[in-house]
Amino acid sequence: DQDSASSVLGTRTSEKTLSRDIGKALAAAEERRQKRLARKREWDELNASKPDANYRDPADVARIEQARENMGDFKLKTASDYTVPKEQRVNGDKKRRHLLQLEHSIHQYKTAFNKLVIGLRDRKQTIIDKAKQSVKSLTAAGYDQLPGHMKIKLPIIPEFLPEEIPDRQLEYTADELYAFKRERAAREAAQKANAADAGGFGGFGGFGGDDEGGDGQEEEPAKADESAGDSQEDLLKTEESDSIDVLDGLDDLKVPSLSLFEQHRQEETRLRLKFEQERVVAAINAAYKDFDKELDVLQHIKHKLDIALKQADLRDITLYEEFILLKDFEKRENSFVSKLQGKELERKDILLKVSDVEKKYNAKKRDIERLQEREKNIHASFTGSLGENNKFSDFLAKVFKKKIKRTKKKGPDERGGEGGDSDEDSDDDDDDDFSSSEEESESEDALDDSVCPAGCDQEIFDTVCQLREQRLDVEDLLVEEKKVVELLRKEVDNLKKKAKVVESAVKTAQADIEAFQLEKQAKLNQLDTVVILHLDQIQHVAPNQTSLKPDLSQCLVFPRDGITVLQKRIRQLHEEKALQQKEQKHNRMHFAQLSKQKRALQGKIQDLQEKVNQLMMLKFGQIVDLDKLEVATVSRSAEELKEKLKAQQRRHDVDLSKYYREVEREEERLTAAIRENSQHLKRLHHCMQREKKLAKQLDTRQMALGAEYGTRTDPLEAQRLRQLIQAQLAEMGKLRQEILQLSSKTGQVQQPNYGQSRPSVTARLPSLFPKIV
């Protein structure tokens, strides 16, 4: 036990030491490998990110396009190379929306102005109501009692004209209805009186008047009524003026009957009324003045609105002409646009297909790389499984590299087509059989590579066969994946060619649309439009003259602010040009510096490479691959297998020594058991001899008793003898069974009953005894 414990402890210590050394070596090798792989990945990413010689950065292209669009120059629409921007292209629908927007704007302007007019009219109504209320309150306060020299002429209260209240023409009151009824009754009465005066013909026959005469008769009473009304009003005004003059004269008279207090009180009342009438007249005149100012402002707004509406009407005419012209071009434009949209949709679909196929292609390439890495691992495992100084390495390498015939697993779909391809399969099988027969004939002279030769480890041979199967599986997968990759590559090339064709078709469609837009713009430029200019806005002066040219048909209407912006943009472009030249100079210097550094680094890399090659030649005698060298230096799987094998051997040695000691002990026990069994056999032989003797004696006694007693027997004695015979027969059967078992040296033996039962000798043997036997 102490020896086994010490051996186990030594084994564990050696395992720890070896594992630590192997771990350090493997860790260092793995660290170097990971660094090399990381550096390789960085180089791959850098080379992958390197753009093509004809590559154009999308950001730079977008900035250049934006700079061209926002150059700041003015592009004449009449120029031959003018390109209509996409956001400024119009068609019939857009122009129709412009027309509707213009009409909506005109309606909004008119509605806003009408609201101002209605508001001013309401203001006038308010002023009239307040003026009437003020005059009414002044009259109620005793305005008529003032003497003539103290009275101020009240302002005339205006009334609404019919054209000022067109919305109230259909409105009426009860008084107006009653007045209309009285007027209608008076007119009918006058018509009847005129008819009675004219005689009994009533306008019939040749003596009566016609319709016009009747109308004239109807108008005459009305005029008479109006003249009568006017004369009555004049009469009332005359009487009123006379009464006022009489009253004024009466007021001038001094009534001596009034007391002094009453005179002062009357004078106070007159002064208060005078002040009140001055206040009311001033308020009414101020309201009239403010209203007149508001009316002047509204009149000015109306003039400006009339000008804007007239311009809008002219713009409406121009837009309508453009709409008619665009409707003529609409059919052709729709055909061009639909063609371009179809080509763009086709290009989008092709690009999506290219993207999908490229993803599949890249995925398959990654699968191939993984399979190649797996194949390398299989080769490394094969190299590690051989170990060092293996005399069967060439044979095992031949077994590993042998190409054997393999049956492909066919699915249900492939099985359905076996009948059609039976001839081809038979040809392939014949070729395979011929090639395999050749290989077998060649290998007959050498060792049979299908059987493990004598002296070779069967486990290593089986491992090599398994690695060969794995290698063949990987090679089959590589062949299939390469076929798929080749098909995907061809598909990608075809799709890219198709994409180029579609791209050219898209460019052609865009060029057609550009030409069509230019043609449409030329037709739009031929339409006349109205521009209102002042004389001070015309600055077309000849270089050597101080007067305008007689022909202004070639003039360009350009905003004054636009000229200022263009002049400012010229200065900005000069500054930007100087800045770009400075930046370009700096970039050239930086490029020259980088080129110099690149050449220096390339020379340094070349020197280091030569130094590495010299060191390899001094150490190995040839140029070797560092990755392979690292793998060959430390093989983790091989070292682990060796260590496991040594540990297993040590455990087996300990177990074998233990088993040997147990075998010795069991052999000693077996020898003792054999001696004891021999003694039992001797006793068994003695018992059998005694049994025979007793049987003879019994037979002799029975014969003697039979002869002596005849047929008389004792029942108890007979029963006792029968029991004795049965017991002896049972003991004989047991002894025979024990003899058979002892002769075969196996099994358990039940000891015969000799008055005291005791277990058999073989029953005391340990459980290990059958194994040792």
Side-chain angles (χ1 to χ4, degrees):
D1 295 337
Q2 293 179 357
D3 296 338
S4 62
S6 61
S7 62
V8 170
L9 183 61
T11 303
R12 291 179 180 177
T13 305
S14 62
E15 287 180 357
K16 290 181 180 179
T17 305
L18 184 58
S19 299
R20 185 170 59 253
D21 297 338
I22 292 174
K24 290 181 179 180
L26 289 174
E30 184 66 22
E31 184 179 1
R32 291 193 297 271
R33 179 173 171 275
Q34 291 298 330
K35 287 182 179 180
R36 189 173 288 104
L37 290 176
R39 188 63 176 172
K40 185 177 180 299
R41 283 195 297 270
E42 291 178 359
W43 273 108
D44 293 339
E45 292 176 359
L46 182 62
N47 293 326
S49 63
K50 183 179 180 180
D52 189 39
N54 298 325
Y55 174 76
R56 299 180 67 186
D57 189 5
D60 294 340
V61 173
R63 286 195 292 269
I64 292 171
E65 189 66 24
Q66 184 180 5
R68 287 178 179 174
E69 293 177 357
N70 302 320
M71 185 70 71
D73 57 342
F74 183 79
K75 299 177 177 62
L76 289 175
K77 294 183 178 180
T78 56
S80 59
D81 58 347
Y82 176 73
T83 302
V84 182
K86 292 183 179 180
E87 63 274 6
Q88 296 182 7
R89 293 177 182 176
V90 293
N91 52 18
D93 295 335
K94 290 184 179 180
K95 195 59 65 175
R96 183 174 178 274
R97 287 197 294 270
H98 292 171
L99 280 169
L100 294 177
Q101 290 175 0
L102 181 61
E103 292 178 359
H104 181 66
S105 300
I106 292 172
H107 179 266
Q108 286 183 340
Y109 279 118
K110 290 182 178 180
T111 303
F113 182 75
N114 290 336
K115 288 181 180 179
L116 293 177
V117 172
I118 292 172
L120 192 61
R121 187 187 67 179
D122 296 339
R123 170 79 172 157
K124 181 178 179 181
Q125 182 67 44
T126 304
I127 292 172
I128 291 173
D129 294 340
K130 288 183 178 180
K132 288 181 179 180
Q133 185 67 26
S134 299
V135 172
K136 185 177 179 180
S137 62
L138 188 63
T139 304
Y143 171 75
D144 296 336
Q145 298 178 5
L146 288 175
H149 68 278
M150 296 181 67
K151 285 186 177 180
I152 301 175
K153 186 177 180 180
L154 296 177
I156 299 174
I157 298 176
E159 297 291 339
F160 281 107
L161 299 176
E163 58 269 13
E164 292 180 351
I165 49 174
D167 53 337
R168 301 181 186 176
Q169 290 182 359
L170 300 179
E171 296 179 0
Y172 54 86
T173 61
D175 296 337
E176 291 176 353
L177 289 176
Y178 284 124
F180 176 73
K181 184 177 181 181
R182 290 192 298 269
E183 183 181 353
R184 183 178 179 183
R187 188 165 57 251
E188 290 178 354
Q191 288 179 358
K192 290 180 180 180
N194 292 332
D197 295 338
F201 297 100
F204 294 97
F207 301 98
D210 51 4
D211 296 338
E212 295 178 357
D215 296 339
Q217 290 176 359
E218 291 178 358
E219 292 176 358
E220 287 177 0
K223 292 180 179 180
D225 294 339
E226 292 177 359
S227 61
D230 294 340
S231 61
Q232 291 177 1
E233 291 177 359
D234 295 339
L235 180 61
L236 290 174
K237 289 179 180 180
T238 304
E239 292 177 356
E240 186 179 357
S241 62
D242 294 340
S243 63
I244 290 172
D245 295 337
V246 172
L247 291 173
D248 293 340
L250 292 175
D251 292 336
D252 293 338
L253 296 176
K254 295 182 179 179
V255 181
S257 61
L258 295 175
S259 63
L260 181 62
F261 176 76
E262 291 177 347
Q263 292 178 3
H264 285 292
R265 186 63 179 266
Q266 186 178 12
E267 185 67 22
E268 181 182 356
T269 302
R270 289 178 179 177
L271 290 175
R272 187 173 62 252
L273 290 174
K274 182 179 178 182
F275 174 77
E276 186 67 21
Q277 73 173 354
E278 290 177 354
R279 186 186 64 78
V280 169
V281 170
I284 293 174
N285 289 331
Y288 286 174
K289 192 173 182 179
D290 294 339
F291 180 79
D292 291 338
K293 290 180 180 179
E294 294 179 3
L295 184 62
D296 292 339
V297 173
L298 186 62
Q299 188 71 22
H300 180 68
I301 293 173
K302 185 177 182 301
H303 290 324
K304 295 178 69 175
L305 181 62
D306 290 338
I307 295 171
L309 292 178
K310 184 59 68 177
Q311 292 179 351
D313 292 337
L314 296 174
R315 179 62 179 166
D316 194 5
I317 294 171
T318 303
L319 288 176
Y320 183 73
E321 292 177 353
E322 292 178 352
F323 173 71
I324 297 298
L325 182 62
L326 291 173
K327 290 296 287 184
D328 296 336
F329 285 99
E330 187 173 5
K331 187 174 182 181
R332 290 176 57 194
E333 185 175 7
N334 291 335
S335 64
F336 284 124
V337 171
S338 62
K339 182 179 178 181
L340 178 60
Q341 290 177 352
K343 294 298 181 182
E344 288 180 348
L345 184 61
E346 186 178 358
R347 179 180 63 179
K348 185 178 179 181
D349 294 340
I350 291 175
L351 291 178
L352 288 175
K353 290 181 181 179
V354 169
S355 178
D356 294 339
V357 176
E358 284 182 346
K359 288 181 181 178
K360 294 179 181 178
Y361 178 75
N362 295 329
K364 290 296 180 182
K365 287 183 69 176
R366 289 192 293 269
D367 293 340
I368 289 175
E369 291 177 358
R370 285 195 292 268
L371 290 173
Q372 290 176 349
E373 186 68 22
R374 184 178 170 188
E375 188 178 11
K376 290 181 181 179
N377 294 333
I378 291 172
H379 282 279
S381 300
F382 169 72
T383 305
S385 63
L386 292 179
E388 297 179 358
N389 300 324
N390 193 337
K391 61 181 180 178
F392 293 96
S393 59
D394 296 335
F395 171 76
L396 294 175
K398 182 179 179 181
V399 172
F400 178 73
K401 295 179 180 179
K402 181 182 178 181
K403 295 182 179 179
I404 60 175
K405 181 181 177 182
R406 295 161 55 83
T407 57
K408 295 183 179 179
K409 296 181 181 180
K410 295 185 178 180
D413 297 336
E414 296 178 355
R415 291 171 185 171
E418 288 180 355
D421 299 337
S422 60
D423 296 337
E424 297 178 0
D425 294 340
S426 62
D427 296 339
D428 296 338
D429 294 340
D430 295 338
D431 296 338
D432 295 337
D433 294 339
F434 180 73
S435 60
S436 62
S437 63
E438 286 182 350
E439 292 177 358
E440 291 175 358
S441 62
E442 290 176 358
S443 61
E444 285 178 355
D445 300 336
L447 293 174
D448 188 4
D449 54 5
S450 61
V451 180
C452 180
C456 182
D457 191 356
Q458 182 66 36
E459 185 178 357
I460 296 176
F461 182 80
D462 295 338
T463 304
V464 171
C465 292
Q466 292 177 1
L467 292 175
R468 180 180 64 186
E469 291 294 329
Q470 295 177 6
R471 179 184 63 81
L472 293 175
D473 292 338
V474 171
E475 288 180 354
D476 293 341
L477 291 175
L478 276 173
V479 171
E480 294 177 0
E481 293 294 336
K482 286 180 180 179
K483 289 180 181 179
V484 174
V485 166
E486 185 65 22
L487 292 176
L488 290 175
R489 186 185 63 78
K490 291 180 180 179
E491 187 176 358
V492 169
D493 294 339
N494 294 331
L495 288 175
K496 286 184 177 180
K497 290 179 182 178
K498 192 174 181 181
K500 289 181 180 179
V501 174
V502 174
E503 186 68 26
S504 62
V506 169
K507 291 182 180 179
T508 303
Q510 290 177 352
D512 294 339
I513 289 179
E514 294 291 340
F516 172 76
Q517 293 292 337
L518 190 61
E519 179 184 358
K520 186 168 65 174
Q521 187 63 43
K523 292 291 184 181
L524 291 174
N525 292 336
Q526 294 178 3
L527 297 177
D528 295 330
T529 184
V530 178
V531 180
I532 300 174
L533 296 175
H534 298 284
L535 290 176
D536 59 347
Q537 291 178 318
I538 303 174
Q539 299 181 4
H540 190 79
V541 181
N544 298 325
Q545 297 179 3
T546 58
S547 60
L548 295 175
K549 281 188 175 182
D551 185 14
L552 300 179
S553 60
Q554 299 298 324
C555 292
L556 176 65
V557 179
F558 199 80
R560 186 175 300 170
D561 297 338
I563 296 175
T564 305
V565 170
L566 289 177
Q567 292 174 352
K568 184 178 179 180
R569 183 58 181 165
I570 291 171
R571 293 191 295 270
Q572 290 178 355
L573 289 174
H574 283 300
E575 293 175 359
E576 290 178 3
K577 183 179 179 181
L579 183 62
Q580 291 295 329
Q581 288 177 351
K582 184 178 180 181
E583 186 175 356
Q584 185 182 13
K585 184 178 179 180
H586 179 267
N587 290 335
R588 285 180 179 177
M589 294 175 64
H590 185 59
F591 178 74
Q593 185 179 1
L594 291 176
S595 300
K596 186 177 180 180
Q597 292 178 0
K598 180 182 176 182
R599 289 193 296 270
L601 291 175
Q602 286 178 349
K604 187 176 180 180
I605 291 171
Q606 187 66 26
D607 296 339
L608 292 175
Q609 188 65 37
E610 292 178 357
K611 186 177 180 180
V612 169
N613 293 335
Q614 290 176 1
L615 292 175
M616 285 184 180
M617 293 298 294
L618 290 174
K619 189 172 183 179
F620 304 107
Q622 61 179 356
I623 304 298
V624 297
D625 189 359
L626 295 178
D627 296 334
K628 295 181 179 179
L629 182 62
E630 289 177 357
V631 173
T633 303
V634 179
S635 177
R636 184 182 183 86
S637 60
E639 295 295 333
E640 289 179 353
L641 289 174
K642 290 179 181 178
E643 186 62 26
K644 288 180 180 179
L645 181 60
K646 291 179 181 179
Q648 192 68 23
Q649 287 177 353
R650 285 192 291 268
R651 286 196 297 271
H652 287 174
D653 294 339
V654 173
D655 293 339
L656 283 175
S657 61
K658 182 180 178 181
Y659 289 149
Y660 287 151
R661 288 192 295 271
E662 289 181 358
V663 167
E664 290 177 357
R665 288 194 297 268
E666 295 300 330
E667 285 179 351
E668 292 176 356
R669 295 176 63 184
L670 179 61
T671 303
I674 291 173
R675 289 195 186 110
E676 186 177 359
N677 287 337
S678 300
Q679 292 177 2
H680 284 295
L681 287 174
K682 290 178 181 179
R683 291 177 63 186
L684 177 62
H685 179 69
H686 176 71
C687 290
M688 289 177 70
Q689 293 293 331
R690 184 180 178 188
E691 180 184 6
K692 288 179 181 181
K693 184 178 179 181
L694 289 174
K696 289 179 180 181
Q697 291 177 1
L698 180 62
D699 291 340
T700 304
R701 185 178 293 183
Q702 286 179 355
M703 290 175 64
L705 287 175
E708 182 179 356
Y709 296 104
T711 58
R712 292 181 299 173
T713 57
D714 189 1
L716 297 174
E717 184 67 20
Q719 181 68 22
R720 187 183 64 80
L721 292 174
R722 281 194 294 269
Q723 290 179 355
L724 179 61
I725 292 169
Q726 289 178 358
Q728 289 178 353
L729 289 173
E731 186 177 0
M732 289 173 63
K734 291 180 181 179
L735 290 173
R736 289 191 185 97
Q737 186 178 2
E738 186 175 357
I739 289 168
L740 292 174
Q741 289 180 356
L742 289 172
S743 62
S744 62
K745 303 299 182 181
T746 58
Q748 299 289 335
V749 179
Q750 186 175 0
Q751 193 72 14
N753 189 5
Y754 294 103
Q756 185 180 0
S757 62
R758 56 179 181 178
S760 176
V761 178
T762 57
R764 298 196 299 269
L765 294 176
S767 59
L768 190 60
F769 175 76
K771 298 181 182 179
I772 298 173
V773 175

